[in-house]
Amino acid sequence: MNKQNFTIKGMRCSSCANIIKNRLENLEGVEKADVNFAADRAEIEYDPEKVSVENMNDDLEKLGYSLFSREITEQSTDHSDHSEHLGIGMSKKQKEQELAALRNKIKFIFPAAIVVFLYMMWDIAAGFFGFLPKIPIPMDIVNVVLFVLSSVALFWVGQPFIQGVVKFVKYRAANMDTLIGIGALTAYIYSAIVVLLPRIRTILELPETTYFDVTIVVIGFVSLGKYLEAQSRLKTGEAVEKLLGLQAKTALVLREGEEKEVPIAEVMVGDIVIVKPGEKIPVDGKIIEGKTSIDESMITGEPLPIDKFVGDLVVGSTVNKQGAFKFKATKVGKDTMLAQIIKMVEEAQGSKAPIQALADRISAVFVPTVLVIAVFSFVGWLAFGIPDLGFSTALSYAILSLVGVLVIACPCALGLATPTAIIVGVGKGAEYGILVKNAEALEKLSEVDTIVFDKTGTITKGKPEVTDVEVLDNTLKTDDILKYAGSAEKKSEHPLAKAIVAEALRRKISLVESSEFQALEGVGIKATVQGKNIYIHKPDKTNRDDRLLRLERQGKTAAVVEIDNRRSGIIALSDTLKPEAKEAVNRIHGQGIKTMMMTGDNMETAKYIAGQIGIDEVMADVLPGEKAQRIKDLQSKGRKVAMAGDGINDAPALAQADVGIAMATGTDVAIESSGITLLHGDIKKLAEALELSRQTIKTVKQNLFWAFIYNVIGIPVAAGLLYPFWGIVLNPIFAGLAMAGSSVSVVMNSLRLKARKLS
């Protein structure tokens, strides 16, 4: 099976998405098709041996839709479009072209619709209030003008609606355009018969009233609504657009001994790239010459530049603040970190949350149901209205009812409710350094009541640091212990040795060269520093004083420093807590969520570490293979569990949890097993992710509520339910205005997420 993402052209409403989904899944070889109207895309799982992309596209083109692969080759010649060399096909230009074409139509139809609407309102008001003068234009002239305007409105501006009717007749595929098309066409044909065929009108005793104004105003309002909706939907993709804009356009590479400036798409793995101060780093790689300070806020969110030296990794699109350097390109095009971030954001924006399932099921049967209701309302007015109202009045109300039901029953708001909120929410998360893999993870995170933290690399930095220096020789000072130990350890490759050297350098202690260096495997090292014999080793099992025991109880690793055969000091090392850990836990507690830590450390050490940042509960002595089972145990008690981790051994637990949350500083396996990734491994972003999920799902629920209420109330009113009680019949013009407003209001409500803070 092959799974591929496509851009869909021609979708105008959520029912279009259902038509495409059903059409594709009925093709032999297509296993599954997820179609997202708000994102204009589809993810299709198919067997290429049974069905090709061309076959699928040919089948959809009959219905007026087109399928475009989202994979763009890196060798594209258009280097001005960042999306292309990143391997991500964006359809923004196409959308802007479609918007421009629709804008030209709106410039004609909307002013005409406003004038006709005002004329109609004045005419109605003049009939009710005698003091208002009638407009002194003969009805014959008005009808001719309205006939011309409605013809242009229906067959030019309303072309998609006519096509919707044609598709319905030919392929039995009905969408929102079908409803509007049938309603507008009914009003137009009836009015044309009244004006152009007066003998037929006389024979059938049809009322002289025409509904050209309904055709003009409904198409005008609906088209404006679709234009505003499309414009708003274009804004929901701004997060990806901003990420694309971060990429450099060219790179300075060293080829055949010469410096050459080449388009970014031509940079290859293995190229030596030169970066000067103030320039953007074009691709990912490793420094081979020079040192610098780099602004990585785009990736990490940290405002301060980070010092980089030979051997350090650099990330494409970050900014070189000072110092020229050379690096070897290791990842280019769609393999760079920026491209992967964009890919995750796009996939998440195109995915569906479980909450959308209800809306999808309703939308799938909505259009056929509305057609049935419209026909029944038309027949009902004729059957029950003729005896009381007479044929002419009953027919007039029947037409109003038919057109009103078809126009007001717009499933667009229902279809847009979930995806627009998800798109905005995921985009906002990306701006905060929170990468959401799919909408399901975002929804489930909003329901979490327990967060389990892995210790190493998640709430701790994942590397040893010196935490304590105990001086045992009164003739020495702390800096003396670190100077002798650091000088002796300079030649060692052991992580603990590097931590001791790093601490000495951090304190600006001058280290000297040692001699007679000797590594004692599993024990320590020996060396001579400034004529003194230095021996650094593990503590003896028997000679353990209170200070040593206290450090070990805190989970720290102790190294004894002997100078000339005399115990002179103890250096304690530990994987230290991340500075933001305590604040993160406090903020999570503030949201009413229980916190737990799972570690392989013994209970005493685990409790000490957990106590420092206020974690509620500890699971200690947990073997790597047991982590997933511990998560299962919590779930069996009814807990909604999120697991935060970074290592390969965390992957099963991340996958088992309701939501897996990985640190971007961790392993690829952990990231792949999780639903959410926190850039820079900043667990403070976890509290922000929780807030983001709750705000997004709250917005989805608001959208769904108003979309449901709108249709539940609007359709019966349009069908004439209020007429027996208050004599109210809904004019299709107001139905069109309300329909357009409902879709726009749902999108605008989703866009409100962009302005909300996550702190």
Side-chain angles (χ1 to χ4, degrees), residues 565-584:
N565 299 318
R566 182 177 178 182
R567 283 165 57 95
S568 302
I570 300 172
I571 298 177
L573 302 99
S574 177
D575 180 9
T576 56
L577 291 165
K578 290 180 178 178
E580 71 274 12
K582 186 175 180 65
E583 182 187 347

Side-chain angles (χ1 to χ4, degrees), residues 267-327:
V267 179
M268 297 180 290
V269 172
D271 272 342
I272 304 303
V273 184
I274 301 165
V275 184
K276 297 177 181 178
E279 293 182 344
K280 283 185 178 180
I281 297 168
V283 295
D284 298 0
K286 182 181 286 189
I287 296 177
I288 59 171
E289 183 183 312
K291 59 182 180 180
T292 187
S293 181
I294 296 176
D295 178 1
E296 292 190 339
S297 57
M298 182 272 292
I299 297 293
T300 65
E302 295 296 323
L304 297 177
I306 298 171
D307 293 333
K308 298 279 185 175
F309 305 94
V310 172
D312 287 342
L313 298 175
V314 292
V315 178
S317 305
T318 56
V319 181
N320 182 30
K321 302 298 286 185
Q322 61 183 39
F325 68 95
K326 295 178 183 177
F327 74 93

Side-chain angles (χ1 to χ4, degrees), residues 285-473:
K286 182 181 286 189
I287 296 177
I288 59 171
E289 183 183 312
K291 59 182 180 180
T292 187
S293 181
I294 296 176
D295 178 1
E296 292 190 339
S297 57
M298 182 272 292
I299 297 293
T300 65
E302 295 296 323
L304 297 177
I306 298 171
D307 293 333
K308 298 279 185 175
F309 305 94
V310 172
D312 287 342
L313 298 175
V314 292
V315 178
S317 305
T318 56
V319 181
N320 182 30
K321 302 298 286 185
Q322 61 183 39
F325 68 95
K326 295 178 183 177
F327 74 93
K328 187 175 183 179
T330 56
K331 292 180 179 179
V332 300
K334 59 185 178 182
D335 295 323
T336 62
M337 180 178 287
L338 177 65
Q340 293 303 310
I341 290 172
I342 293 171
K343 184 179 179 183
M344 286 182 69
V345 172
E346 280 209 306
E347 287 179 350
Q349 288 184 334
S351 63
K352 293 184 179 181
I355 197 171
Q356 192 174 344
L358 177 62
D360 283 348
R361 286 197 298 271
I362 291 175
S363 295
V365 298
F366 192 82
V367 173
T369 303
V370 168
L371 285 171
V372 170
I373 293 173
V375 170
F376 270 99
S377 66
F378 181 84
V379 173
W381 273 104
L382 293 179
F384 299 104
I386 290 175
D388 293 330
L389 304 173
F391 177 76
S392 297
T393 304
L395 179 61
S396 180
Y397 284 161
I399 291 172
L400 285 175
S401 173
L402 173 71
V403 177
V405 169
L406 293 174
V407 170
I408 203 167
C410 174
C412 290
L414 194 61
L416 288 168
T418 300
T420 52
I422 294 296
I423 288 172
V424 176
V426 169
K428 188 176 184 67
E431 292 174 9
Y432 274 76
I434 302 161
L435 301 184
V436 183
K437 185 178 288 185
N438 54 56
E440 184 177 2
L442 201 61
E443 181 175 342
K444 286 186 175 180
L445 187 61
S446 69
E447 301 167 354
V448 161
D449 56 29
T450 305
I451 293 181
V452 178
F453 294 95
D454 168 57
K455 185 189 72 125
T456 306
T458 303
I459 61 175
T460 66
K461 295 178 180 177
K463 60 181 182 179
E465 292 183 357
V466 173
T467 58
D468 304 83
V469 180
E470 298 281 352
V471 180
L472 305 180
D473 185 342

